[in-house]
Amino acid sequence: MIKFDIPKWLQAPTAMPRLSAHEIEHKYPRLRFQVFMGIFIGYAGFYLIRNNVSAVAPLLLDEGGVINKLAVGIIANAVLFAYGLSKFFSAMVSDRANARYFMPLGLALSAVTNLLVAVIPWVSASVGLFATLMFINGWFQGMGWPPCGRVLVHWFSTNERGWKTALWNTAHNVGGAGLPALIALGLALTNNNWRAAFWVPSIVGLVVALIAFLMIRDTPESLGLPPIEEHRNDPAKVEAKSKEKLSTKDLVFKYILRSRVIMMLAIANVFVYSLRYGVLNWVTVFLSEKHHAKIDGGLAGFAAFELAGILGTILCGWVSDKVFKGHRSSAGVLFTFLTALAITAYWLVPVGTPMWVLITLVGLIGGLIYGPVMLIGLQAIDLAPQNIAGTAAGFTGLFGYLMGATLASTGVGYLVHFFGWNVTFIVFLLMAVITLLFFAIIGKDERKIMNRHHQRVNNGETA
């Protein structure tokens, strides 16, 4: 049996006596905004201290020969591989933990780990040691998404969750765009010493962890408020299974491992994350090698990828809610197809193309690929029972990071090192085609679940 003993201070709080109708009307809107901003700011903080190695890869490659492109891929992959493992196991813990404590704790520990890279010189003298510390960093990073998923599913109901999740998901991009800005500041202050790419964002990350702690609350019931489904008269797509006396292991096997749609989402996530990190992690290196860009040009591309993701993610969430009426897979097909077109253009533009065009193409890819990234997490919490929604999302992340990020980091490093960029981009396009096929298959199952949900709504049932 899978069993995690959570310290009492970290456990999810119990339900409080119900407040009066007047207090509920007054507090619910304010607290919904407050907790949303807490998880938004907090999750953005994680992205200040996750992809630092990739962002300064050209400087690492120039330092003395210890780290080559394959080594950069291995070190970057260590973060993402550990993140995938941690995201799944942290999800099983976070479904029973207090999100207010769990998320800021992970962010603070990740920041401290990055500080160690900056202040202990011998860590970067060995690929093995560097990768080990980044593995530890990735584990703490995995404590970010699951409590956010828990907050989203408890504070925002089904018919608003597409838009809200898309808006929250842009925290990826705010933090990701903030990273190159902080790195540029650090490099300017230290005469291009790459270690500033770790200590400057880490200090900001510690401040963000404190802000998140002050703003996040766990569930409405823990504050004397009614469940969000009751408050908005909007039942969940899948009913909670809290009445079943099942162990964590049995819940995982019954509602995740034996769920066709969750398994399909997890496999699709492998290819979505391969595309996301396959492009993002190698922006600075690709622009430097093929287009002879300096580090500031690569950092601009890195920032453009993330900033454009804000608009793309929100647009994708809106399209999935308004155009496709909650059928997320249709939006996934559209955005993945457009991503493939943008990657093709990014690959084929000739040497000598103006830098602003290259940065625009990088931004276009980021704006499009973050739609499918958001949708798979949203579908996982939409299509799993509410009380294991975090675990379902963590499970899709497990596949995305363990396999997808490995392909994007170590795999791409290997392809580029031995076969060059043309073969690498052909592989990217094959991944896009496979993603399209998975979204099409998932869409059939999703429509069946949606039809059952609409029937329950028409019958006046609540979750």
Side-chain angles (χ1 to χ4, degrees), residues 167-240:
L167 189 60
W168 166 77
N169 206 66
T170 62
H172 289 91
N173 313 104
V174 172
L179 170 61
L182 291 177
I183 289 176
L185 173 63
L187 294 178
L189 293 174
T190 60
N191 194 27
N192 276 7
N193 187 328
W194 64 262
R195 297 182 190 280
F198 290 86
W199 65 260
V200 173
S202 295
I203 292 173
V204 177
L206 289 171
V207 174
V208 171
L210 176 61
I211 294 171
F213 171 75
L214 295 174
M215 298 185 73
I216 295 172
R217 298 295 183 271
D218 191 57
T219 65
E221 296 93 317
S222 68
L223 301 172
L225 301 171
I228 190 62
E229 293 79 16
E230 177 185 331
H231 181 66
R232 300 191 77 249
N233 191 28
D234 180 24
K237 285 184 179 179
V238 180
E239 294 182 85

Side-chain angles (χ1 to χ4, degrees), residues 252-326:
V252 170
F253 270 88
K254 185 172 182 179
Y255 295 109
I256 295 179
L257 295 180
R258 294 178 184 174
S259 168
R260 168 186 159 97
V261 69
I262 297 298
M263 290 301 301
M264 295 289 280
L265 284 169
I267 297 171
N269 215 26
V270 172
F271 300 101
V272 170
Y273 271 69
S274 295
L275 290 171
R276 171 190 174 185
Y277 282 112
V279 175
L280 178 62
N281 280 3
W282 296 94
V283 163
T284 54
V285 178
F286 175 73
L287 292 179
S288 173
E289 289 196 349
K290 181 175 179 179
H291 296 280
H292 314 297
K294 296 181 179 179
I295 184 67
D296 55 348
L299 289 174
F302 204 100
F305 187 98
E306 299 289 0
L307 286 173
I310 296 174
L311 295 177
T313 301
I314 294 174
L315 177 61
C316 187
W318 182 86
V319 167
S320 76
D321 272 350
K322 304 300 182 182
V323 177
F324 296 113
K325 309 301 180 184

Side-chain angles (χ1 to χ4, degrees), residues 38-277:
I39 61 173
F40 185 95
I41 295 170
Y43 201 60
F46 279 89
Y47 274 77
L48 298 176
I49 44 181
R50 180 178 299 180
N51 293 322
N52 309 56
V53 171
S54 300
V56 291
L59 296 181
L60 291 170
L61 292 172
D62 290 342
E63 191 168 70
V66 174
I67 298 177
N68 57 25
K69 280 178 283 190
L70 188 57
V72 168
I74 292 171
I75 295 167
N77 188 63
V79 180
L80 303 178
F81 190 89
Y83 176 80
L85 286 173
S86 176
K87 188 175 181 180
F88 179 54
F89 289 106
S90 294
M92 289 191 283
V93 176
S94 74
D95 276 333
R96 299 187 288 117
N98 189 333
R100 184 185 186 190
Y101 297 109
F102 195 82
M103 181 190 183
L105 176 64
L107 178 55
L109 291 172
S110 179
V112 170
T113 305
N114 277 271
L115 279 173
L116 294 178
V117 175
V119 301
I120 304 178
W122 51 263
V123 167
S124 59
S126 162
V127 175
L129 287 174
F130 205 158
T132 298
L133 200 59
M134 286 298 95
F135 184 93
I136 296 170
N137 178 49
W139 192 269
F140 294 140
Q141 284 277 320
M143 297 171 66
W145 205 107
C148 292
R150 174 179 172 83
V151 168
L152 286 166
V153 82
H154 281 282
W155 286 90
F156 302 97
S157 64
T158 297
N159 64 16
E160 64 175 345
R161 201 175 294 145
W163 160 249
K164 296 294 186 180
T165 303
L167 189 60
W168 166 77
N169 206 66
T170 62
H172 289 91
N173 313 104
V174 172
L179 170 61
L182 291 177
I183 289 176
L185 173 63
L187 294 178
L189 293 174
T190 60
N191 194 27
N192 276 7
N193 187 328
W194 64 262
R195 297 182 190 280
F198 290 86
W199 65 260
V200 173
S202 295
I203 292 173
V204 177
L206 289 171
V207 174
V208 171
L210 176 61
I211 294 171
F213 171 75
L214 295 174
M215 298 185 73
I216 295 172
R217 298 295 183 271
D218 191 57
T219 65
E221 296 93 317
S222 68
L223 301 172
L225 301 171
I228 190 62
E229 293 79 16
E230 177 185 331
H231 181 66
R232 300 191 77 249
N233 191 28
D234 180 24
K237 285 184 179 179
V238 180
E239 294 182 85
K241 306 298 179 182
S242 56
K243 295 180 181 179
E244 293 186 277
K245 301 301 181 181
L246 297 176
S247 66
T248 303
K249 174 184 175 182
D250 291 335
L251 283 170
V252 170
F253 270 88
K254 185 172 182 179
Y255 295 109
I256 295 179
L257 295 180
R258 294 178 184 174
S259 168
R260 168 186 159 97
V261 69
I262 297 298
M263 290 301 301
M264 295 289 280
L265 284 169
I267 297 171
N269 215 26
V270 172
F271 300 101
V272 170
Y273 271 69
S274 295
L275 290 171
R276 171 190 174 185
Y277 282 112

